[in-house]
Amino acid sequence: HDALPIWFPLRALVTAPDRGAWRDHLTRCNAAQGQVTTVLTFNVADALTRTVQVTSQRIVGVDGQTRLLSTLVDITEHKRTEDALRESEARYRELVQNVNSAIIRWTADGRITFFNEFAESLFGYRAEEILGRHVGVLVPEFESTGTDLRHLVRIRLDRRVRAVRGGTGETA
């Protein structure tokens, strides 16, 4: 990349959709005592744009003229990574919420921290009602045949607590 001359007018690089944000940046710089930061999209070549973080502040030159000193940081890849992560998280959330299986997450001490939509319909609780409660509320004390099921919750929680305390990350 070629360096821009120190006097280069940055407005020539700002994409059309960001020109209003650029004007706002300049207005805030004129009113501010310190630095002002804005993220803008710049045209850098034919059909090539870059996302740039522009930090500017007013300075007074040796000639007494007020000028704008700006630092530009190309954050294009960082922005793309953030956008990809957001999209991935959204797909994951949609998958977990809409899967035809109950997905429930709880802490080592049995407090429910996640309850998907299928779990809501299966157990009859809304997530807001069940989050923070003990997982034992979801397991009946006895099976329809009379078998005691309370020990299942205790065994599972005991294994998780041992794994956390042991630092192995594995259940016993």
Side-chain angles (χ1 to χ4, degrees), residues 43-107:
N43 292 310
V44 292
D46 289 339
L48 178 64
T49 60
R50 303 300 287 177
T51 303
V52 178
Q53 177 179 301
V54 181
T55 302
S56 305
Q57 72 180 55
R58 289 181 305 157
I59 60 167
V60 178
V62 291
D63 59 359
Q65 293 282 334
T66 300
R67 292 183 172 81
L68 192 63
L69 175 65
S70 297
T71 304
L72 287 70
V73 178
D74 185 340
I75 61 169
T76 305
E77 294 309 315
H78 178 77
K79 185 94 167 93
R80 284 183 188 149
T81 302
E82 280 182 342
D83 292 346
L85 178 60
R86 257 191 304 282
E87 289 173 21
S88 175
E89 287 172 344
R91 285 191 309 272
Y92 175 77
R93 267 191 308 279
E94 184 173 340
L95 171 67
V96 169
Q97 281 297 347
N98 297 323
V99 69
N100 286 329
S101 296
I103 299 177
I104 305 164
R105 184 177 56 230
W106 61 84
T107 61

Short mmCIF file of all heavy atoms in Angstrom, two decimals, residues 43-107:
data_model
loop_
_atom_site.label_atom_id
_atom_site.label_comp_id
_atom_site.label_asym_id
_atom_site.label_seq_id
_atom_site.Cartn_x
_atom_site.Cartn_y
_atom_site.Cartn_z
N ASN A 43 -13.08 3.85 0.37
CA ASN A 43 -12.74 3.30 -0.95
C ASN A 43 -11.23 3.40 -1.07
O ASN A 43 -10.68 4.48 -0.97
CB ASN A 43 -13.37 4.13 -2.07
CG ASN A 43 -14.87 4.01 -2.10
OD1 ASN A 43 -15.40 2.91 -2.07
ND2 ASN A 43 -15.56 5.14 -2.13
N VAL A 44 -10.57 2.27 -1.32
CA VAL A 44 -9.11 2.32 -1.44
C VAL A 44 -8.64 1.96 -2.84
O VAL A 44 -7.51 2.20 -3.19
CB VAL A 44 -8.42 1.42 -0.39
CG1 VAL A 44 -8.62 1.98 1.00
CG2 VAL A 44 -8.89 0.00 -0.48
N ALA A 45 -9.49 1.34 -3.63
CA ALA A 45 -9.18 0.99 -5.02
C ALA A 45 -10.50 0.70 -5.70
O ALA A 45 -11.55 0.70 -5.07
CB ALA A 45 -8.25 -0.21 -5.08
N ASP A 46 -10.45 0.43 -7.00
CA ASP A 46 -11.68 0.11 -7.72
C ASP A 46 -12.39 -1.06 -7.04
O ASP A 46 -11.83 -2.15 -6.93
CB ASP A 46 -11.37 -0.25 -9.18
CG ASP A 46 -10.93 0.97 -9.96
OD1 ASP A 46 -11.24 2.10 -9.53
OD2 ASP A 46 -10.27 0.79 -10.99
N ALA A 47 -13.59 -0.83 -6.57
CA ALA A 47 -14.45 -1.85 -5.97
C ALA A 47 -13.85 -2.49 -4.72
O ALA A 47 -14.30 -3.53 -4.29
CB ALA A 47 -14.82 -2.93 -6.98
N LEU A 48 -12.84 -1.87 -4.11
CA LEU A 48 -12.26 -2.40 -2.87
C LEU A 48 -12.49 -1.39 -1.76
O LEU A 48 -12.14 -0.22 -1.89
CB LEU A 48 -10.75 -2.65 -3.04
CG LEU A 48 -10.01 -3.15 -1.81
CD1 LEU A 48 -10.53 -4.53 -1.39
CD2 LEU A 48 -8.52 -3.22 -2.08
N THR A 49 -13.11 -1.85 -0.71
CA THR A 49 -13.35 -0.99 0.43
C THR A 49 -12.67 -1.59 1.66
O THR A 49 -12.44 -2.79 1.73
CB THR A 49 -14.85 -0.81 0.72
OG1 THR A 49 -15.42 -2.08 1.01
CG2 THR A 49 -15.57 -0.16 -0.44
N ARG A 50 -12.37 -0.73 2.62
CA ARG A 50 -11.78 -1.15 3.88
C ARG A 50 -12.55 -0.48 5.01
O ARG A 50 -12.99 0.67 4.87
CB ARG A 50 -10.31 -0.74 3.97
CG ARG A 50 -9.41 -1.24 2.87
CD ARG A 50 -9.33 -2.71 2.74
NE ARG A 50 -8.54 -3.31 3.82
CZ ARG A 50 -8.37 -4.61 3.95
NH1 ARG A 50 -8.91 -5.45 3.09
NH2 ARG A 50 -7.65 -5.08 4.93
N THR A 51 -12.71 -1.19 6.11
CA THR A 51 -13.32 -0.61 7.30
C THR A 51 -12.19 -0.01 8.12
O THR A 51 -11.21 -0.69 8.43
CB THR A 51 -14.07 -1.68 8.10
OG1 THR A 51 -15.04 -2.29 7.25
CG2 THR A 51 -14.77 -1.07 9.30
N VAL A 52 -12.33 1.27 8.44
CA VAL A 52 -11.24 2.01 9.07
C VAL A 52 -11.76 2.71 10.33
O VAL A 52 -12.82 3.33 10.31
CB VAL A 52 -10.66 3.06 8.10
CG1 VAL A 52 -9.55 3.88 8.74
CG2 VAL A 52 -10.16 2.38 6.83
N GLN A 53 -10.99 2.57 11.40
CA GLN A 53 -11.28 3.33 12.62
C GLN A 53 -10.48 4.62 12.54
O GLN A 53 -9.25 4.60 12.43
CB GLN A 53 -10.86 2.53 13.84
CG GLN A 53 -11.07 3.28 15.15
CD GLN A 53 -10.66 2.43 16.33
OE1 GLN A 53 -11.20 1.35 16.52
NE2 GLN A 53 -9.70 2.91 17.10
N VAL A 54 -11.20 5.75 12.55
CA VAL A 54 -10.57 7.06 12.43
C VAL A 54 -10.63 7.75 13.79
O VAL A 54 -11.71 7.93 14.34
CB VAL A 54 -11.28 7.94 11.37
CG1 VAL A 54 -10.61 9.30 11.24
CG2 VAL A 54 -11.35 7.23 10.03
N THR A 55 -9.47 8.10 14.32
CA THR A 55 -9.41 8.85 15.57
C THR A 55 -8.79 10.20 15.24
O THR A 55 -7.69 10.26 14.66
CB THR A 55 -8.57 8.10 16.62
OG1 THR A 55 -9.14 6.81 16.84
CG2 THR A 55 -8.52 8.87 17.94
N SER A 56 -9.50 11.26 15.59
CA SER A 56 -9.05 12.60 15.22
C SER A 56 -9.11 13.54 16.41
O SER A 56 -9.90 13.34 17.34
CB SER A 56 -9.95 13.18 14.12
OG SER A 56 -10.02 12.32 13.00
N GLN A 57 -8.29 14.58 16.33
CA GLN A 57 -8.38 15.67 17.30
C GLN A 57 -7.85 16.94 16.65
O GLN A 57 -7.06 16.89 15.72
CB GLN A 57 -7.65 15.36 18.59
CG GLN A 57 -6.14 15.37 18.51
CD GLN A 57 -5.52 15.05 19.85
OE1 GLN A 57 -5.84 14.02 20.44
NE2 GLN A 57 -4.65 15.91 20.33
N ARG A 58 -8.34 18.06 17.17
CA ARG A 58 -7.88 19.34 16.66
C ARG A 58 -6.51 19.66 17.23
O ARG A 58 -6.24 19.38 18.40
CB ARG A 58 -8.85 20.46 17.06
CG ARG A 58 -10.17 20.41 16.34
CD ARG A 58 -11.07 21.54 16.77
NE ARG A 58 -11.23 21.51 18.23
CZ ARG A 58 -11.58 22.54 18.97
NH1 ARG A 58 -11.79 23.71 18.42
NH2 ARG A 58 -11.72 22.43 20.26
N ILE A 59 -5.66 20.20 16.39
CA ILE A 59 -4.34 20.67 16.85
C ILE A 59 -4.11 22.06 16.27
O ILE A 59 -4.74 22.45 15.28
CB ILE A 59 -3.20 19.72 16.42
CG1 ILE A 59 -3.14 19.61 14.90
CG2 ILE A 59 -3.34 18.36 17.07
CD1 ILE A 59 -1.86 18.95 14.40
N VAL A 60 -3.22 22.78 16.88
CA VAL A 60 -2.84 24.10 16.37
C VAL A 60 -1.42 23.98 15.84
O VAL A 60 -0.50 23.57 16.55
CB VAL A 60 -2.92 25.18 17.47
CG1 VAL A 60 -2.47 26.54 16.93
CG2 VAL A 60 -4.33 25.26 18.03
N GLY A 61 -1.28 24.30 14.56
CA GLY A 61 0.03 24.23 13.92
C GLY A 61 0.93 25.36 14.37
O GLY A 61 0.49 26.32 15.01
N VAL A 62 2.21 25.27 13.99
CA VAL A 62 3.18 26.32 14.35
C VAL A 62 2.81 27.67 13.73
O VAL A 62 3.20 28.71 14.23
CB VAL A 62 4.62 25.91 13.93
CG1 VAL A 62 5.11 24.77 14.78
CG2 VAL A 62 4.71 25.61 12.46
N ASP A 63 2.01 27.61 12.67
CA ASP A 63 1.57 28.84 12.02
C ASP A 63 0.30 29.42 12.66
O ASP A 63 -0.23 30.42 12.20
CB ASP A 63 1.34 28.61 10.53
CG ASP A 63 0.28 27.54 10.27
OD1 ASP A 63 -0.27 26.96 11.24
OD2 ASP A 63 0.02 27.27 9.08
N GLY A 64 -0.19 28.74 13.74
CA GLY A 64 -1.38 29.23 14.43
C GLY A 64 -2.69 28.72 13.84
O GLY A 64 -3.76 28.98 14.38
N GLN A 65 -2.62 27.99 12.73
CA GLN A 65 -3.82 27.44 12.09
C GLN A 65 -4.30 26.19 12.84
O GLN A 65 -3.48 25.37 13.25
CB GLN A 65 -3.52 27.07 10.64
CG GLN A 65 -3.22 28.23 9.74
CD GLN A 65 -4.50 28.96 9.34
OE1 GLN A 65 -5.57 28.39 9.30
NE2 GLN A 65 -4.35 30.24 9.05
N THR A 66 -5.60 26.08 12.98
CA THR A 66 -6.18 24.88 13.59
C THR A 66 -6.34 23.83 12.49
O THR A 66 -6.87 24.11 11.42
CB THR A 66 -7.55 25.18 14.23
OG1 THR A 66 -7.35 26.15 15.24
CG2 THR A 66 -8.15 23.93 14.84
N ARG A 67 -5.84 22.66 12.80
CA ARG A 67 -5.93 21.55 11.84
C ARG A 67 -6.49 20.32 12.54
O ARG A 67 -6.61 20.29 13.76
CB ARG A 67 -4.55 21.23 11.27
CG ARG A 67 -4.01 22.33 10.38
CD ARG A 67 -2.68 21.94 9.79
NE ARG A 67 -2.23 22.90 8.81
CZ ARG A 67 -1.64 24.05 9.07
NH1 ARG A 67 -1.44 24.40 10.31
NH2 ARG A 67 -1.27 24.85 8.10
N LEU A 68 -6.78 19.32 11.74
CA LEU A 68 -7.28 18.06 12.26
C LEU A 68 -6.20 17.00 12.08
O LEU A 68 -5.73 16.77 10.97
CB LEU A 68 -8.55 17.65 11.50
CG LEU A 68 -9.37 16.52 12.07
CD1 LEU A 68 -9.92 16.88 13.44
CD2 LEU A 68 -10.52 16.18 11.13
N LEU A 69 -5.78 16.38 13.18
CA LEU A 69 -4.82 15.31 13.13
C LEU A 69 -5.60 14.00 13.28
O LEU A 69 -6.33 13.82 14.26
CB LEU A 69 -3.79 15.44 14.25
CG LEU A 69 -2.79 14.31 14.39
CD1 LEU A 69 -1.88 14.25 13.16
CD2 LEU A 69 -1.98 14.46 15.67
N SER A 70 -5.46 13.11 12.31
CA SER A 70 -6.22 11.86 12.33
C SER A 70 -5.28 10.66 12.24
O SER A 70 -4.29 10.68 11.52
CB SER A 70 -7.20 11.80 11.16
OG SER A 70 -8.15 12.83 11.25
N THR A 71 -5.65 9.63 12.97
CA THR A 71 -4.96 8.35 12.91
C THR A 71 -5.96 7.34 12.36
O THR A 71 -7.09 7.26 12.83
CB THR A 71 -4.51 7.90 14.31
OG1 THR A 71 -3.71 8.93 14.88
CG2 THR A 71 -3.74 6.61 14.25
N LEU A 72 -5.53 6.59 11.36
CA LEU A 72 -6.40 5.59 10.75
C LEU A 72 -5.87 4.20 11.04
O LEU A 72 -4.67 3.95 10.88
CB LEU A 72 -6.47 5.79 9.23
CG LEU A 72 -7.27 6.98 8.73
CD1 LEU A 72 -6.62 8.28 9.05
CD2 LEU A 72 -7.52 6.84 7.26
N VAL A 73 -6.78 3.31 11.46
CA VAL A 73 -6.41 1.91 11.71
C VAL A 73 -7.35 1.06 10.87
O VAL A 73 -8.58 1.16 11.00
CB VAL A 73 -6.53 1.54 13.20
CG1 VAL A 73 -6.19 0.07 13.41
CG2 VAL A 73 -5.65 2.44 14.05
N ASP A 74 -6.78 0.23 10.01
CA ASP A 74 -7.57 -0.67 9.17
C ASP A 74 -8.06 -1.83 10.04
O ASP A 74 -7.28 -2.65 10.51
CB ASP A 74 -6.71 -1.19 8.02
CG ASP A 74 -7.51 -2.04 7.04
OD1 ASP A 74 -8.59 -2.54 7.40
OD2 ASP A 74 -7.03 -2.20 5.90
N ILE A 75 -9.38 -1.88 10.28
CA ILE A 75 -9.97 -2.92 11.12
C ILE A 75 -10.85 -3.86 10.29
O ILE A 75 -11.71 -4.55 10.83
CB ILE A 75 -10.77 -2.32 12.29
CG1 ILE A 75 -11.92 -1.44 11.78
CG2 ILE A 75 -9.85 -1.54 13.23
CD1 ILE A 75 -12.89 -1.02 12.86
N THR A 76 -10.60 -3.90 8.99
CA THR A 76 -11.43 -4.70 8.08
C THR A 76 -11.50 -6.16 8.51
O THR A 76 -12.59 -6.72 8.63
CB THR A 76 -10.91 -4.60 6.64
OG1 THR A 76 -10.84 -3.22 6.27
CG2 THR A 76 -11.80 -5.36 5.67
N GLU A 77 -10.35 -6.77 8.73
CA GLU A 77 -10.35 -8.20 9.10
C GLU A 77 -10.99 -8.42 10.46
O GLU A 77 -11.72 -9.39 10.65
CB GLU A 77 -8.93 -8.77 9.06
CG GLU A 77 -8.33 -8.79 7.66
CD GLU A 77 -9.24 -9.46 6.63
OE1 GLU A 77 -9.80 -10.53 6.92
OE2 GLU A 77 -9.39 -8.90 5.52
N HIS A 78 -10.72 -7.53 11.38
CA HIS A 78 -11.34 -7.63 12.72
C HIS A 78 -12.86 -7.55 12.60
O HIS A 78 -13.58 -8.33 13.22
CB HIS A 78 -10.79 -6.51 13.62
CG HIS A 78 -11.38 -6.49 14.98
ND1 HIS A 78 -11.02 -7.39 15.96
CD2 HIS A 78 -12.33 -5.70 15.53
CE1 HIS A 78 -11.72 -7.14 17.05
NE2 HIS A 78 -12.51 -6.11 16.81
N LYS A 79 -13.33 -6.61 11.79
CA LYS A 79 -14.78 -6.44 11.59
C LYS A 79 -15.38 -7.67 10.92
O LYS A 79 -16.45 -8.14 11.32
CB LYS A 79 -15.02 -5.19 10.74
CG LYS A 79 -16.45 -4.83 10.55
CD LYS A 79 -16.89 -3.84 11.58
CE LYS A 79 -18.21 -3.23 11.23
NZ LYS A 79 -19.32 -3.93 11.82
N ARG A 80 -14.70 -8.22 9.92
CA ARG A 80 -15.18 -9.44 9.26
C ARG A 80 -15.26 -10.59 10.24
O ARG A 80 -16.21 -11.38 10.22
CB ARG A 80 -14.27 -9.81 8.08
CG ARG A 80 -14.48 -8.94 6.87
CD ARG A 80 -13.61 -9.41 5.72
NE ARG A 80 -13.69 -8.44 4.64
CZ ARG A 80 -12.71 -8.18 3.80
NH1 ARG A 80 -11.57 -8.83 3.88
NH2 ARG A 80 -12.87 -7.29 2.85
N THR A 81 -14.25 -10.72 11.09
CA THR A 81 -14.24 -11.78 12.09
C THR A 81 -15.39 -11.61 13.07
O THR A 81 -16.09 -12.57 13.41
CB THR A 81 -12.89 -11.80 12.84
OG1 THR A 81 -11.84 -12.00 11.89
CG2 THR A 81 -12.85 -12.90 13.88
N GLU A 82 -15.62 -10.37 13.53
CA GLU A 82 -16.74 -10.10 14.43
C GLU A 82 -18.07 -10.44 13.77
O GLU A 82 -18.94 -11.05 14.39
CB GLU A 82 -16.76 -8.62 14.84
CG GLU A 82 -15.81 -8.24 15.91
CD GLU A 82 -15.94 -6.77 16.29
OE1 GLU A 82 -16.51 -5.97 15.49
OE2 GLU A 82 -15.47 -6.41 17.37
N ASP A 83 -18.24 -10.03 12.51
CA ASP A 83 -19.48 -10.31 11.79
C ASP A 83 -19.69 -11.81 11.62
O ASP A 83 -20.80 -12.32 11.82
CB ASP A 83 -19.48 -9.62 10.42
CG ASP A 83 -19.55 -8.10 10.52
OD1 ASP A 83 -19.86 -7.58 11.61
OD2 ASP A 83 -19.28 -7.44 9.49
N ALA A 84 -18.62 -12.54 11.27
CA ALA A 84 -18.72 -13.99 11.10
C ALA A 84 -19.07 -14.66 12.43
O ALA A 84 -19.88 -15.59 12.47
CB ALA A 84 -17.41 -14.56 10.55
N LEU A 85 -18.48 -14.19 13.52
CA LEU A 85 -18.78 -14.74 14.84
C LEU A 85 -20.24 -14.48 15.20
O LEU A 85 -20.93 -15.38 15.68
CB LEU A 85 -17.86 -14.14 15.90
CG LEU A 85 -18.09 -14.61 17.33
CD1 LEU A 85 -17.92 -16.11 17.44
CD2 LEU A 85 -17.14 -13.87 18.27
N ARG A 86 -20.72 -13.27 14.95
CA ARG A 86 -22.14 -12.95 15.23
C ARG A 86 -23.08 -13.85 14.43
O ARG A 86 -24.06 -14.36 14.95
CB ARG A 86 -22.42 -11.48 14.91
CG ARG A 86 -22.51 -10.59 16.13
CD ARG A 86 -23.04 -9.20 15.81
NE ARG A 86 -22.30 -8.48 14.80
CZ ARG A 86 -21.14 -7.86 15.01
NH1 ARG A 86 -20.60 -7.89 16.20
NH2 ARG A 86 -20.54 -7.22 14.05
N GLU A 87 -22.78 -14.04 13.15
CA GLU A 87 -23.60 -14.91 12.30
C GLU A 87 -23.57 -16.35 12.80
O GLU A 87 -24.60 -17.03 12.85
CB GLU A 87 -23.13 -14.84 10.85
CG GLU A 87 -23.43 -13.54 10.17
CD GLU A 87 -22.81 -13.45 8.78
OE1 GLU A 87 -22.48 -14.51 8.19
OE2 GLU A 87 -22.65 -12.33 8.28
N SER A 88 -22.40 -16.82 13.18
CA SER A 88 -22.25 -18.19 13.68
C SER A 88 -23.03 -18.37 14.98
O SER A 88 -23.72 -19.38 15.18
CB SER A 88 -20.77 -18.50 13.90
OG SER A 88 -20.62 -19.77 14.48
N GLU A 89 -22.92 -17.39 15.87
CA GLU A 89 -23.66 -17.46 17.14
C GLU A 89 -25.16 -17.46 16.89
O GLU A 89 -25.90 -18.18 17.54
CB GLU A 89 -23.27 -16.30 18.05
CG GLU A 89 -21.89 -16.45 18.64
CD GLU A 89 -21.43 -15.21 19.40
OE1 GLU A 89 -22.03 -14.13 19.23
OE2 GLU A 89 -20.46 -15.33 20.16
N ALA A 90 -25.61 -16.66 15.93
CA ALA A 90 -27.04 -16.60 15.62
C ALA A 90 -27.53 -17.95 15.07
O ALA A 90 -28.60 -18.43 15.45
CB ALA A 90 -27.33 -15.48 14.61
N ARG A 91 -26.72 -18.55 14.17
CA ARG A 91 -27.10 -19.88 13.65
C ARG A 91 -27.14 -20.92 14.77
O ARG A 91 -28.03 -21.75 14.82
CB ARG A 91 -26.13 -20.31 12.55
CG ARG A 91 -26.36 -19.60 11.23
CD ARG A 91 -25.58 -20.24 10.08
NE ARG A 91 -24.17 -20.43 10.35
CZ ARG A 91 -23.22 -19.52 10.12
NH1 ARG A 91 -23.55 -18.36 9.60
NH2 ARG A 91 -21.96 -19.80 10.39
N TYR A 92 -26.15 -20.88 15.65
CA TYR A 92 -26.10 -21.82 16.78
C TYR A 92 -27.31 -21.63 17.69
O TYR A 92 -27.95 -22.60 18.07
CB TYR A 92 -24.80 -21.62 17.57
CG TYR A 92 -24.73 -22.48 18.80
CD1 TYR A 92 -24.43 -23.83 18.72
CD2 TYR A 92 -24.96 -21.93 20.06
CE1 TYR A 92 -24.37 -24.62 19.84
CE2 TYR A 92 -24.89 -22.72 21.20
CZ TYR A 92 -24.60 -24.06 21.08
OH TYR A 92 -24.55 -24.83 22.20
N ARG A 93 -27.62 -20.37 18.04
CA ARG A 93 -28.79 -20.09 18.89
C ARG A 93 -30.06 -20.61 18.24
O ARG A 93 -30.90 -21.22 18.89
CB ARG A 93 -28.91 -18.59 19.14
CG ARG A 93 -28.24 -18.12 20.40
CD ARG A 93 -28.61 -16.69 20.76
NE ARG A 93 -28.42 -15.73 19.68
CZ ARG A 93 -27.26 -15.19 19.36
NH1 ARG A 93 -26.19 -15.50 20.02
NH2 ARG A 93 -27.19 -14.33 18.37
N GLU A 94 -30.21 -20.36 16.93
CA GLU A 94 -31.40 -20.82 16.23
C GLU A 94 -31.48 -22.35 16.24
O GLU A 94 -32.53 -22.92 16.48
CB GLU A 94 -31.44 -20.30 14.80
CG GLU A 94 -32.72 -20.69 14.10
CD GLU A 94 -32.86 -20.04 12.75
OE1 GLU A 94 -32.20 -19.03 12.47
OE2 GLU A 94 -33.65 -20.57 11.95
N LEU A 95 -30.36 -23.01 16.00
CA LEU A 95 -30.33 -24.47 16.01
C LEU A 95 -30.71 -25.00 17.39
O LEU A 95 -31.59 -25.86 17.51
CB LEU A 95 -28.94 -24.98 15.64
CG LEU A 95 -28.71 -26.48 15.82
CD1 LEU A 95 -29.55 -27.26 14.83
CD2 LEU A 95 -27.24 -26.82 15.67
N VAL A 96 -30.09 -24.48 18.43
CA VAL A 96 -30.34 -24.96 19.79
C VAL A 96 -31.77 -24.66 20.22
O VAL A 96 -32.42 -25.48 20.87
CB VAL A 96 -29.32 -24.36 20.77
CG1 VAL A 96 -29.70 -24.61 22.21
CG2 VAL A 96 -27.93 -24.94 20.48
N GLN A 97 -32.29 -23.50 19.84
CA GLN A 97 -33.65 -23.14 20.23
C GLN A 97 -34.70 -23.94 19.46
O GLN A 97 -35.75 -24.25 19.99
CB GLN A 97 -33.90 -21.65 20.04
CG GLN A 97 -33.33 -20.79 21.12
CD GLN A 97 -33.92 -21.05 22.49
OE1 GLN A 97 -34.95 -21.70 22.67
NE2 GLN A 97 -33.26 -20.54 23.51
N ASN A 98 -34.44 -24.26 18.21
CA ASN A 98 -35.47 -24.86 17.36
C ASN A 98 -35.33 -26.36 17.14
O ASN A 98 -36.14 -26.95 16.44
CB ASN A 98 -35.50 -24.14 16.00
CG ASN A 98 -35.88 -22.69 16.16
OD1 ASN A 98 -36.71 -22.35 17.00
ND2 ASN A 98 -35.27 -21.83 15.39
N VAL A 99 -34.32 -27.00 17.71
CA VAL A 99 -34.13 -28.43 17.55
C VAL A 99 -35.29 -29.17 18.23
O VAL A 99 -35.87 -28.69 19.20
CB VAL A 99 -32.76 -28.87 18.11
CG1 VAL A 99 -32.72 -28.76 19.62
CG2 VAL A 99 -32.42 -30.26 17.67
N ASN A 100 -35.65 -30.33 17.71
CA ASN A 100 -36.75 -31.11 18.29
C ASN A 100 -36.25 -32.01 19.41
O ASN A 100 -36.57 -33.20 19.47
CB ASN A 100 -37.46 -31.92 17.21
CG ASN A 100 -38.32 -31.05 16.33
OD1 ASN A 100 -38.84 -30.03 16.79
ND2 ASN A 100 -38.44 -31.41 15.08
N SER A 101 -35.44 -31.47 20.27
CA SER A 101 -34.94 -32.17 21.45
C SER A 101 -34.83 -31.15 22.58
O SER A 101 -34.50 -29.98 22.34
CB SER A 101 -33.55 -32.75 21.20
OG SER A 101 -33.59 -33.73 20.20
N ALA A 102 -35.08 -31.61 23.78
CA ALA A 102 -34.91 -30.73 24.93
C ALA A 102 -33.43 -30.56 25.20
O ALA A 102 -32.68 -31.54 25.28
CB ALA A 102 -35.60 -31.33 26.16
N ILE A 103 -32.99 -29.32 25.31
CA ILE A 103 -31.61 -29.03 25.66
C ILE A 103 -31.65 -28.20 26.93
O ILE A 103 -32.24 -27.12 26.97
CB ILE A 103 -30.86 -28.28 24.54
CG1 ILE A 103 -30.83 -29.14 23.27
CG2 ILE A 103 -29.45 -27.92 24.99
CD1 ILE A 103 -30.17 -28.48 22.09
N ILE A 104 -31.02 -28.75 27.96
CA ILE A 104 -31.01 -28.10 29.27
C ILE A 104 -29.56 -28.10 29.75
O ILE A 104 -28.87 -29.10 29.67
CB ILE A 104 -31.88 -28.90 30.28
CG1 ILE A 104 -33.29 -29.07 29.73
CG2 ILE A 104 -31.89 -28.21 31.64
CD1 ILE A 104 -34.08 -30.14 30.43
N ARG A 105 -29.11 -26.96 30.24
CA ARG A 105 -27.76 -26.87 30.81
C ARG A 105 -27.92 -26.45 32.26
O ARG A 105 -28.75 -25.60 32.59
CB ARG A 105 -26.94 -25.83 30.04
CG ARG A 105 -25.50 -25.74 30.51
CD ARG A 105 -24.66 -24.76 29.70
NE ARG A 105 -25.26 -23.45 29.71
CZ ARG A 105 -25.49 -22.71 28.61
NH1 ARG A 105 -25.18 -23.18 27.43
NH2 ARG A 105 -26.02 -21.53 28.70
N TRP A 106 -27.12 -27.07 33.14
CA TRP A 106 -27.15 -26.67 34.54
C TRP A 106 -25.75 -26.65 35.10
O TRP A 106 -24.82 -27.23 34.56
CB TRP A 106 -28.08 -27.57 35.36
CG TRP A 106 -27.71 -29.03 35.42
CD1 TRP A 106 -26.83 -29.61 36.26
CD2 TRP A 106 -28.23 -30.07 34.59
NE1 TRP A 106 -26.77 -30.96 36.01
CE2 TRP A 106 -27.62 -31.27 35.00
CE3 TRP A 106 -29.17 -30.12 33.55
CZ2 TRP A 106 -27.90 -32.49 34.40
CZ3 TRP A 106 -29.44 -31.33 32.97
CH2 TRP A 106 -28.83 -32.49 33.38
N THR A 107 -25.61 -25.94 36.22
CA THR A 107 -24.32 -25.79 36.89
C THR A 107 -24.00 -27.03 37.70
O THR A 107 -24.85 -27.91 37.86
CB THR A 107 -24.34 -24.57 37.83
OG1 THR A 107 -25.35 -24.79 38.82
CG2 THR A 107 -24.62 -23.27 37.08
#
